[in-house]
């Protein structure tokens, strides 16, 4: 039997719309039911999408909910979420966030850099030093707290965050990881440094899992999976423009390439979906903006459809759908 992994990367509100479009076309055209993946790895926005899938939300309803279209008869959970008011998000201004005074690295950060230099990521460490953001991500996810169940979702859901004191990645939902209510783990995974306030779990502060990697796909090495489907809203060919938006996409693309190579060395086949030119045209630099959500979903649906129709990709997806 084919064992399937699903990786859902970060990308804010825009990234969630990208997830919805990709998963909708895979479900509609290939019968690929993302809810049945053996393991889901969610980072930042991907942790929200992954949690909704594990709670039984279909890709069709996820897409409809994203653009405020009518839901199916099975969409009661999303209808309940839609009834909960969500505070408006201020524009995401990276340069403004970086201009605020940073804190000095603490002893735990320095110790980790000296004792585990092979796993230390200077850029990730630097992000943990940003001044705390002024927005409360837990408040944004109030609806998720209301619908969560006492036990962690099953099958496996791995939610990636970064511990602020030392820059170490922590994967909630994996054995031996810290225990947390799902809404707080997801909030930690989404706590963009400098924009949202860190989320405290078990006395430790956590920030966005995308600080370590926008997808964290390499986590799935050694899991015995046969196929991993990666949905990566933050990568893609953004060109060589000298701006923060393009630079962050180039960085995400480099990390994703290395992680896919690591999975390949582990004998795991991957299928990657990332934005092309048409999607990037409507995915503005502000990943928190809802202004063009409908266009993002539409273009991701079309772009993913074209990618999924490629002969080798279609064959893998059909095998995955048959296994599910």
């Amino acid at each position: 039997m084919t064992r399937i992994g699903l990786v859902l990367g970060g990308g804010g509100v825009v990234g969630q719309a990208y997830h919805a479009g990709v998963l909708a076309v895979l479900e509609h055209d290939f019968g690929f039911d993302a809810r049945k993946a053996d393991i889901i790895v969610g980072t930042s926005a991907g942790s929200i999408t992954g949690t909704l899938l594990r709670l039984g939300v279909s890709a069709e309803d996820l897409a409809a909910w994203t653009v405020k279209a009518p839901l199916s008869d099975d969409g009661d959970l999303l209808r309940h979420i839609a009834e909960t008011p969500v505070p408006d998000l201020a524009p995401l201004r990276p340069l403004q966030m970086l201009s605020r005074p940073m804190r000095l690295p603490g002893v735990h950060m320095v110790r980790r850099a000296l004792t585990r230099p092979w796993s230390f990521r200077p850029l990730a460490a630097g992000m943990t030093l940003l001044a705390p953001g002024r927005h409360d991500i837990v408040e944004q996810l109030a609806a998720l707290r209301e619908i969560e169940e006492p036990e962690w979702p099953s099958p496996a859901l791995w939610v990636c965050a970064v511990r602020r004191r030392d820059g170490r990645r922590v994967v909630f939902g994996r054995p031996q990881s810290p225990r947390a209510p799902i809404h707080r783990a997801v909030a930690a995974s989404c706590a963009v440094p400098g924009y949202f306030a860190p989320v405290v779990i078990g006395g430790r502060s956590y920030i966005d899992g995308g600080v370590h990697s926008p997808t964290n796909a390499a986590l799935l090495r050694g899991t015995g999976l046969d196929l991993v489907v990666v949905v990566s809203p933050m990568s893609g060919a953004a060109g060589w423009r000298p701006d923060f938006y393009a630079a962050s996409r180039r960085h995400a693309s480099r990390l994703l390439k290395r992680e896919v190579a690591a999975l390949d060395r582990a004998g795991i086949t991957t299928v990657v979906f990332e934005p092309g030119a048409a999607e990037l045209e409507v995915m503005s630099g502000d990943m928190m903006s809802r202004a063009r959500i409908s266009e993002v979903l539409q273009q991701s649906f079309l772009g993913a459809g074209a990618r999924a129709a490629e002969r080798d990709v279609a064959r893998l997806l059909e095998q995955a759908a048959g296994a599910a």
Side-chain angles (χ1 to χ4, degrees):
M1 178 177 290
T2 302
R3 298 191 71 239
I4 311 298
L6 176 63
V7 173
L8 299 166
V13 173
V14 173
Q16 283 183 262
Y18 184 79
H19 294 148
V22 172
L23 296 177
V25 76
L26 298 187
E27 181 178 87
H28 183 271
D29 290 358
F30 295 90
F32 178 83
D33 189 343
R35 295 172 294 184
K36 296 181 180 179
D38 294 277
I39 303 175
I40 295 178
V41 175
T43 299
S44 198
S47 69
I48 299 175
T49 303
T51 299
L52 292 175
L53 291 171
R54 284 299 192 232
L55 292 176
V57 175
S58 69
E60 177 187 0
D61 274 337
L62 197 62
W65 174 63
T66 300
V67 295
K68 303 187 185 317
L71 299 169
S72 73
D73 292 341
D74 297 323
D76 288 345
L77 185 143
L78 289 180
R79 271 187 280 273
H80 180 77
I81 291 177
E83 293 171 356
T84 303
V86 178
D88 289 333
L89 290 170
L92 179 63
R93 304 188 191 282
L95 295 181
Q96 188 179 79
M97 288 154 46
L98 292 170
S99 68
R100 297 167 60 202
M102 300 175 69
R103 68 188 182 100
L104 294 173
V107 62
H108 295 97
M109 181 78 72
V110 175
R111 182 185 300 133
R112 184 163 180 263
L114 294 175
T115 60
R116 299 181 64 83
W118 59 88
S119 64
F120 186 76
R121 296 192 175 187
L123 180 59
M127 296 292 281
T128 69
L129 304 179
L130 292 179
R134 299 185 173 96
H135 304 286
D136 184 0
I137 183 59
V138 178
E139 181 184 7
Q140 287 283 329
L141 296 174
L144 189 59
R145 180 176 63 241
E146 293 181 16
I147 63 173
E148 70 181 9
E149 299 174 354
E151 299 300 321
W152 191 266
S154 180
L157 172 65
W158 294 355
V159 173
C160 302
V162 167
R163 194 164 60 196
R164 191 164 181 251
R165 73 174 188 176
D166 57 6
R168 179 186 173 190
R169 177 177 61 192
V170 174
V171 185
F172 295 103
R174 201 165 59 164
Q176 285 77 56
S177 291
R179 293 179 62 84
I182 185 64
H183 79 276
R184 294 201 72 84
V186 170
S189 185
C190 295
V192 178
Y195 184 83
F196 287 119
V199 175
V200 177
I201 297 173
R204 302 277 184 250
S205 293
Y206 295 89
I207 59 173
D208 196 310
V211 166
H212 183 88
S213 162
T215 62
N216 291 289
L219 276 173
L220 293 175
R221 291 173 298 177
T223 55
L225 296 172
D226 301 295
L227 173 68
V228 170
V229 176
V230 182
V231 185
S232 176
M234 294 187 69
S235 59
W240 290 98
R241 298 190 312 276
D243 58 49
F244 183 88
Y245 173 67
S248 64
R249 286 202 176 275
R250 291 194 292 269
H251 174 67
S253 295
R254 286 193 296 271
L255 286 180
L256 178 59
K257 184 177 180 180
R258 290 207 296 264
E259 293 180 337
V260 167
L263 293 174
D264 183 63
R265 289 192 298 272
I268 299 174
T269 302
T270 58
V271 174
V272 175
F273 293 91
E274 56 185 346
E279 295 96 303
L280 292 176
E281 183 69 25
V282 297
M283 296 172 81
S284 69
D286 183 1
M287 302 301 279
M288 299 301 179
S289 173
R290 295 185 172 91
R292 304 185 74 178
I293 288 299
S294 296
E295 295 171 84
V296 172
L297 189 142
Q298 180 182 42
Q299 290 300 331
S300 62
F301 187 93
L302 295 173
R307 166 73 169 142
E310 296 173 13
R311 180 183 302 175
D312 290 345
V313 176
R315 176 178 52 82
L316 289 169
L317 292 173
E318 287 165 358
Q319 289 176 354

